[in-house]
Amino acid sequence: MDSQPERPILFVTRPAVAAEGFVEAFRERFGNDWPVVMSPLTEIEALDVQIPEFQTAIFTSQNAVAAFQRLAQGQGRRAYCVGQRTAQAAREAGFDAIAGPGDAEALSEMIAQREFGGKLLFVRGEQVAFDLENRLNSAGIETESAIIYRQVSRPLSGEAQAALRASRPVLVPIFSPNAADRFLNSMPDAPKPPLFVAAMSEAVASRLKSASLCHLEVAPHPDAQGMLDALAVLLQRQKAG
């Protein structure tokens, strides 16, 4: 009887809250007994800032929702959210949340088509991949940014370093260009296992291609479901040898 290929380790480097949510979604789809290593390469550090007056919030991450809650608990109202999971977090924080199509640029287009008045507040971290504030102001929609958290770099855990030095295949979802850079910069110099990497977008993939990764798949759409679809393709490729 043919032996089955070794099941890869799911290797997640997102900040803790986002990592836990993605692992839960992954296990719902692929099985609860899947081996997982979580080693956040960034930690969310909330900033003590004053929240300005606004009518509608914009959230492009669950981290922003959590940081906003700490600063302005009980101030929930309407919010545009990048995708379903961020929208769910916003609802739990008391917002009437509208889920977007999965990435910030597409969210800005949706807002531009829907919004007809009132001040919008883009609640975000220090670094963003897309200048949503500028895009909406250019469209005549009054938008201000509130920078309420920063991402602080963290090293790989000992368990993560061991996984990247071993021979067992590793399945890695990468969600942003910055996350791709952090992952590549954290890779140990020792021999590495077969890597099966899912990229959220072509922009993410372009950072990873320079590293000559063996297996790379771009998500068909830039959200958690798209990333799970890309991981499914990679798993089939790994099984096929």
Side-chain angles (χ1 to χ4, degrees), residues 60-122:
T60 55
S61 75
Q62 296 172 66
N63 295 321
V65 177
F68 180 90
Q69 265 193 293
R70 287 192 289 269
L71 288 171
Q73 193 166 4
Q75 290 191 27
R77 59 201 78 180
R78 190 173 67 149
Y80 290 109
C81 301
V82 70
Q84 292 291 344
R85 287 192 171 273
T86 301
Q88 181 59 36
R91 292 186 190 106
E92 292 171 359
F95 283 89
D96 177 13
I98 301 165
D103 72 282
E105 186 171 2
L107 178 64
S108 73
E109 297 298 330
M110 187 186 84
I111 295 171
Q113 292 171 9
R114 293 186 178 206
E115 196 59 36
F116 298 104
K119 181 180 176 181
L120 275 63
L121 186 69
F122 179 25

Side-chain angles (χ1 to χ4, degrees), residues 6 18 64-65 108 146 149 154 170 176 183 190-191 205-208 211 217 225 240:
E6 190 171 25
V65 177
S108 73
Y149 70 91
R154 291 289 180 259
V170 175
S176 72
F183 175 67
S206 67
R207 302 286 182 94
L208 297 165
E217 184 71 22
Q225 187 60 49

Side-chain angles (χ1 to χ4, degrees), residues 14-17 40-49 61-71 123-127 146-154 182:
R14 305 188 85 185
V17 172
L41 290 178
T42 55
E43 181 179 298
I44 301 303
E45 181 180 280
L47 302 176
D48 187 12
V49 298
S61 75
Q62 296 172 66
N63 295 321
V65 177
F68 180 90
Q69 265 193 293
R70 287 192 289 269
L71 288 171
V123 184
R124 66 178 185 84
E126 285 184 335
Q127 294 181 317
I147 300 172
I148 65 171
Y149 70 91
R150 64 168 61 98
Q151 292 188 340
V152 181
S153 295
R154 291 289 180 259
R182 286 191 292 269

Side-chain angles (χ1 to χ4, degrees), residues 118-159:
K119 181 180 176 181
L120 275 63
L121 186 69
F122 179 25
V123 184
R124 66 178 185 84
E126 285 184 335
Q127 294 181 317
V128 289
F130 176 75
D131 191 347
L132 194 148
E133 177 188 6
N134 182 62
R135 166 67 181 84
L136 292 176
N137 280 315
S138 297
I141 300 169
E142 183 185 4
T143 306
E144 180 180 350
S145 287
I147 300 172
I148 65 171
Y149 70 91
R150 64 168 61 98
Q151 292 188 340
V152 181
S153 295
R154 291 289 180 259
L156 286 173
S157 67
E159 181 186 20

